[in-house]
Amino acid sequence: MSDDSLNDEAERVSIRGRGLSTPLRVVIGIAAVAVGVLLFLAPMRLQMVALVTGVGFVLVGIATVLIPHASGRVPVRARVLGGVLVLLGVAMAVWPSAGAPGLAFLIGAALIIHGLLAGWQAVRGDGGVDQRITLGLVAIASVTVGVVAFSWPVLTLVVFRFGVAAWFVFLGLQLIVDALLGHRRHAARGWPRTLTAAAAFVIAVLLAYGTIRIFSGVPLPQPGAFYTAPDNVPAEPGRLLRTEPLDEGVPEGARGWRILYTTTHPDGSAAISSGTILAPENTAADPFPLLTVAHGTTGIAPKCAPSLGAEPFADGAGTAMQQMVTQHGWVAVTSDYIGLGTQGTHPYLVGDAEARNVLDASRAAQQFDEISTTTDTVVWGHSQGGQAALWTGQLAHSYAPELRIKGVAAFAPAADLFGLAEADKSEVGGKTISAYIANTWNTLYPELQLADHLTPGSKHGVEKIRDLCFNGKDALPAILRGSQIPNQVFPDRLLDGEFGTLLKRQTPVGPFPAPVLVAQGLADPLVKPPLQQNWVDARCTAGIPIDYRTFPGLSHMSLVAADSPLTPQIVGWTLDRWNNAAPTPTCDTG
């Protein structure tokens, strides 16, 4: 057969291949666009996202396997790629109960395999330079995004679904246009496609870089020699062991120090804790009024101690505390709690333990030679610190009778810990807080064996959150890690058992030795306002008067922001307590 005859036969095969594939291209292209639009627009649960994405992978795989190239043949490498995509798509569609980690693994695996095969085509292919560059960029981008998908199992299905949707729409339109225009588009589409692949490569690299930066957390100083217990530690709780001046984060008009002091665990065993003292710059001979402050959640690792941070006096109602010191001449003392700064397991949201740490910090302040403070004190606290403040008031008479509590103010306190565990169990903030509880209570209460009874797929995220702090900008990595825990951390059977009973025991019920103020933002997504109202109502019913103040539109953090209407109110309320003004309970008015 002559060369002309061979060329004619090849052209006839190519034409037949293109003719046979045109309807298939159009049908699959329309279906792929429909899948992409569905992923974009339709509200879906994770399992439905997996199902629709699986269908999309099957369609792309079929297109890769059955639609011939311009030569009229389907290359072996295309058949392998198409077959793999079909298998992964089927697995995703029929395995919706795998949970987010398993489904994200399948998506990540599909992208990585697609990238590897695209890389193989780039190395072994017979196309032009533009085609090889395009395939190389696609290969790197696909593998990179596939690896990132393993790090973001929930976002892979919730947010990354939009990227997959765009991919399906793009491929679908490409199939339709190729079917209608055929070889007329071939010469013009090379370099534009390469530029598109280059953009995808840049986005994938930025995505990977951002993931590494976010999940590595914000570098924080580790506790140094100051936080190490001395060789001879007194057995008596509340003994001041050492101090050192603070230079960073001290407001103008004030002086600050770190303190190390003795305290106790709830079982009575000796422990060490750290904290801070903030005093007016101009000290006087007379004792300063003492403000005792319990800080909110900052994490559970030693590096998360507020006294180690760049802004050690910014926690909770920090602006109000600074005003009390610099404008009204008070001294403020805070406790880091055991395990933050010092060694040991932080007793996270264990009210009895937090109260001991807070009271012993006030005792230690009495022994500081550079200032003189009263044994009368007003106690403040926000969030975790709100629970600690209420417990401090409840425990003060029996644990530290030499201290006289003149008022207790709790801002969005975690007063009903069991109720919060129920209400927040499926939300991002609740998952992060649950992870902190799981990591600390597993050590504090080994009989619960919490680590062995977490929900499927949550263990990895819980372990990662352990070393991430939750104060200021450092909270973002912990929140994002919490967002990647696919289910509630604690199964309902744990909440219904001994663990739930222990959570309920952390509720402060009184009696309290002084007037109590509770402030609550009505837009708080973490400490739910109805739960707080129930706690207040229960105290009022028990004959314990509460001054309950609500703030419409304020969230968990904006409640204690510098411009919050609570700021001047709490300063005025504290001064009233010191001056023995009559309390203003709201129990009678609801």
Side-chain angles (χ1 to χ4, degrees), residues 148-428:
V148 170
F150 296 143
S151 300
W152 299 89
V154 175
L155 291 186
T156 296
L157 300 178
V158 176
V159 177
F160 281 27
R161 94 186 214 194
F162 299 113
V164 175
W167 183 51
F168 286 146
V169 171
F170 172 77
L171 289 178
L173 292 175
Q174 179 182 310
L175 287 170
I176 295 170
V177 171
D178 283 352
L180 297 179
L181 297 184
H183 64 282
R184 285 175 293 174
R185 269 183 55 86
H186 182 72
R189 70 189 182 188
W191 287 109
R193 182 181 290 179
T194 302
L195 293 176
T196 302
F201 167 77
V202 171
I203 292 172
V205 170
L206 291 175
L207 187 63
Y209 175 76
T211 297
I212 293 171
R213 286 295 302 271
I214 288 172
F215 278 169
S216 62
V218 178
L220 295 172
Q222 295 290 337
F226 177 85
Y227 295 87
T228 303
D231 293 334
N232 298 314
V233 178
E236 178 188 359
R239 290 288 300 275
L240 184 64
L241 299 177
R242 67 171 67 110
T243 66
E244 70 175 11
L246 271 170
D247 299 322
E248 191 174 19
V250 179
E252 185 177 353
R255 302 171 63 196
W257 298 267
R258 290 189 183 94
I259 62 173
L260 189 74
Y261 62 94
T262 61
T263 186
T264 61
H265 296 288
D267 64 2
S269 58
I272 301 294
S273 184
S274 54
T276 62
I277 290 177
L278 186 67
E281 192 170 40
N282 297 319
T283 59
D286 294 334
F288 288 101
L290 181 62
L291 178 65
T292 300
V293 180
H295 73 77
T297 297
T298 60
I300 59 174
K303 65 179 180 179
C304 303
S307 67
L308 273 170
E311 298 180 322
F313 305 108
D315 180 77
T319 299
M321 181 181 74
Q322 293 172 23
Q323 290 178 7
M324 292 299 300
V325 172
T326 60
Q327 297 179 22
H328 299 285
W330 286 49
V331 166
V333 61
T334 70
S335 171
D336 287 333
Y337 310 133
I338 295 171
L340 300 182
T342 54
Q343 293 299 310
T345 301
H346 173 43
Y348 183 60
L349 290 172
V350 179
D352 191 331
E354 295 166 337
R356 291 166 183 258
N357 300 166
V358 171
L359 289 165
D360 284 326
S362 294
R363 282 170 157 173
Q366 311 294 318
Q367 303 159 36
F368 189 34
D369 292 336
E370 296 199 33
I371 57 172
S372 175
T373 63
T374 63
T375 54
D376 290 353
T377 184
V378 176
V379 183
W380 288 4
H382 172 237
S383 192
Q384 176 193 3
Q387 182 213 32
L390 292 169
W391 268 92
T392 298
Q394 181 174 282
L395 196 68
H397 179 71
S398 61
Y399 184 75
E402 73 274 23
L403 298 176
R404 187 165 75 112
I405 308 297
K406 302 201 70 171
V408 176
F411 321 130
D416 180 3
L417 195 55
F418 177 82
L420 291 175
E422 280 280 6
D424 296 344
K425 61 186 178 184
S426 298
E427 299 177 5
V428 172

Side-chain angles (χ1 to χ4, degrees), residues 59-139:
L59 290 172
V60 175
I62 291 174
T64 305
V65 170
L66 298 183
I67 296 177
H69 290 191
S71 64
R73 298 180 295 104
V74 178
V76 173
R77 55 183 175 271
R79 292 177 185 176
V80 173
L81 172 60
V84 169
L85 290 175
V86 169
L87 290 175
L88 286 172
V90 170
M92 291 173 62
V94 301
W95 194 24
S97 61
L103 298 176
F105 175 84
L106 292 176
I107 292 178
L111 290 170
I112 290 173
I113 292 172
H114 177 270
L116 293 175
L117 291 172
W120 178 27
Q121 286 182 280
V123 174
R124 305 282 300 219
D126 299 325
V129 174
D130 63 318
Q131 185 179 6
R132 290 193 174 206
I133 293 175
T134 300
L135 287 171
L137 292 172
V138 168

